[in-house]
Amino acid sequence: MSVLVWIRAVSLIALLPGVSWAQGVVRLQRGDTLVLRTTGPGRWGPPKRAVELRRLSGPRDQEEFGRIDCISALPDGGVVVYDAKGLDGPTLFVINADGTTRRTLGRLGAGPGEYRATQLTTCLAVQADGTILFLDTGNSRIDRWGAKGEVLPAIPLSAIPVGPEPNLLAGANGSIYVRAGLGRPRRQFVPWHTDFSAFGFLHLSPSGAVLDTVHAQRTWRDYQVPREFDPWDVTLPFEDGTLFISGADRLAFLLRSRVGRDVLVEHPTDPVPVTAAERKEWTAIRGWYQGSVPPPAPSFANTKSAFFAVARAHDGTIWLRLHVAAVRDTPREAFPGVKDPPSPIREWFESPVFAAFLVDGTFLGEAQLPLHSRMHVFAGAFAWGIAVAPDGQETLVRWRVR
């Protein structure tokens, strides 16, 4: 929809009974749900391009990162980094906003404050008071450190979290949300990526007691076997207990408070088509990855979902990773370093573009980060992430995003 057509539509909607318009937001009541329809480019104005401020090849001079598996932003603007192949083995680094290393946390082992390797890419979370949480799958527990690096009692886990990411989230008053299978028992195995409703979260107290469970919520979207780029149902608990619920088929999400009050936020976007070149490339990647396992048919949607990742920063800003049109760039291995069988080659890539909203539904705007960067976390006007070179070498980068 063009901007002019959308403005005219907003003008007509604002004349309807029970509808108000102010500061680029149309407000209307739909039953028990307050609907907020945002308009225009947002409070920031035109989309922002991230400006690189700092680039770190390692935690110290003469020491490079081996393989960064996960990162998480700190309330003070710093970042926690889990280097799965650090110089001294798997290592957690706490890094200041100026790029200096504040401290390392723990070491490889099974004792208090120690940890074993994890394969999860969302193994870190940070609470509002600076407490650092690490999903220690090797020791089947959640390790914890205070804001000053002191070791706190770990929380044992009866099962390793499995399901759609994220696997670990911070809750209020020291509580923790951890991914868990909460669906009904089935007579046959169903892969998690074909039924998001089978997985939710356990809400744990600081002592590890189960406070409650968060079940996946069905959305307005018709369910079907997922395909590449398809919309996906998502239910995420925020730190204050608010649930983020969406079908991701459009730039819209429901915020459900702890007392059941619903606010639906909608922002107009045009669908992004899946090109023939992308379809061919992803067919090769999926075939390589699945080997002899045939993919479900049809394998690809005609258009991409509106977004495919959600994060909430410590200041409450909601960041949605948007699907955008892919651009052609220097070919690189889809799985760097994998030689048997040889990794497929990629030429088409999506730039990391994020839409930002306040918790009251205000649309702030969009921010674009550099191509070939990933694992983005946000802290106020800044972001941390990983820049990946064609040979797979990773560097930690801090940007200004607005």
Side-chain angles (χ1 to χ4, degrees):
M1 180 182 292
S2 70
V3 174
L4 181 58
V5 172
W6 176 253
I7 291 175
R8 288 175 176 170
V10 168
S11 301
L12 292 175
I13 292 173
L15 298 177
L16 298 175
V19 177
S20 61
W21 182 90
Q23 297 181 345
V25 178
V26 176
R27 303 167 61 93
L28 64 149
Q29 199 72 31
R30 184 186 298 163
D32 295 332
T33 301
L34 173 63
V35 180
L36 304 178
R37 292 178 178 166
T38 61
T39 64
R43 182 178 293 180
W44 298 342
K48 305 298 181 182
R49 282 188 174 272
V51 177
E52 183 174 319
L53 301 176
R54 192 160 286 107
R55 180 177 289 255
L56 305 175
S57 59
R60 307 178 186 90
D61 291 340
Q62 310 302 317
E63 182 179 351
E64 292 186 345
F65 292 118
R67 189 188 75 204
I68 299 174
D69 275 6
C70 47
I71 65 176
S72 188
L74 293 166
D76 62 6
V79 66
V80 188
V81 177
Y82 175 60
D83 186 353
K85 293 188 176 182
L87 190 62
D88 299 315
T91 308
L92 283 166
F93 297 100
V94 181
I95 296 176
N96 296 315
D98 64 4
T100 58
T101 296
R102 187 182 312 175
R103 64 177 64 92
T104 61
L105 299 174
R107 61 181 181 181
L108 185 64
E114 298 177 339
Y115 41 83
R116 296 194 185 277
T118 178
Q119 298 297 320
L120 302 175
T121 57
T122 53
C123 59
L124 283 167
V126 180
Q127 295 177 314
D129 64 356
T131 298
I132 295 170
L133 310 173
F134 179 70
L135 191 52
D136 184 356
T137 58
N139 290 318
S140 299
R141 66 193 187 193
I142 298 173
D143 299 319
R144 301 189 301 154
W145 292 267
K148 296 182 179 180
E150 67 275 21
V151 177
L152 302 177
I155 298 176
L157 297 174
S158 58
I160 301 302
V162 63
E165 295 182 345
N167 302 106
L168 183 68
L169 294 168
N173 303 316
S175 66
I176 300 167
Y177 293 98
V178 62
R179 180 70 73 179
L182 303 176
R184 298 177 181 176
R186 296 178 180 273
R187 295 182 179 178
Q188 62 182 16
F189 172 74
V190 177
W192 65 261
H193 60 273
T194 67
D195 189 1
F196 286 111
S197 65
F199 293 90
F201 290 87
L202 292 179
H203 187 197
L204 306 179
S205 73
S207 66
V210 178
L211 299 175
D212 55 24
T213 56
V214 178
H215 288 263
Q217 306 292 303
R218 280 296 184 184
T219 68
W220 52 80
R221 189 177 65 83
D222 291 336
Y223 174 77
Q224 59 183 350
V225 175
R227 303 163 294 180
E228 299 291 347
F229 301 114
D230 246 351
W232 51 290
D233 290 342
V234 54
T235 302
L236 292 180
F238 287 158
E239 190 167 8
D240 61 0
T242 299
L243 291 184
F244 175 99
I245 304 167
S246 180
D249 56 336
R250 52 198 171 98
L251 194 49
F253 54 89
L254 192 72
L255 297 176
R256 178 166 294 162
S257 71
R258 295 180 64 90
V259 296
R261 182 174 180 269
D262 288 348
V263 176
L264 177 63
V265 180
E266 300 176 327
H267 187 77
T269 55
D270 293 323
V272 179
V274 178
T275 65
E278 288 178 284
R279 193 182 304 270
K280 180 180 178 180
E281 191 170 86
W282 278 102
T283 298
I285 292 173
R286 172 178 269 195
W288 178 91
Y289 188 78
Q290 293 185 320
S292 60
V293 180
S299 298
F300 293 90
N302 293 321
T303 58
K304 303 177 183 181
S305 61
F307 63 91
F308 61 97
V310 184
R312 187 183 182 191
H314 290 288
D315 64 1
T317 304
I318 301 169
W319 294 87
L320 306 181
R321 172 76 187 269
L322 304 180
H323 264 309
V324 296
V327 296
R328 196 171 191 176
D329 197 57
T330 304
R332 58 174 61 194
E333 294 178 336
F335 304 94
V338 179
K339 303 300 181 184
D340 187 21
S343 170
I345 300 299
R346 291 192 61 186
E347 294 184 278
W348 293 90
F349 306 90
E350 291 188 37
S351 294
V353 177
F354 290 82
F357 294 82
L358 296 180
V359 290
D360 64 1
T362 300
F363 178 55
L364 297 175
E366 293 183 4
Q368 179 177 334
L369 286 96
L371 198 65
H372 305 305
S373 65
R374 63 185 184 87
M375 210 179 294
H376 310 93
V377 295
F378 296 89
F382 306 93
W384 290 92
I386 309 301
V388 185
D391 62 357
Q393 182 62 41
E394 299 176 334
T395 52
L396 180 67
V397 184
R398 188 171 190 250
W399 300 276
R400 176 181 289 278
V401 292
R402 60 178 174 84

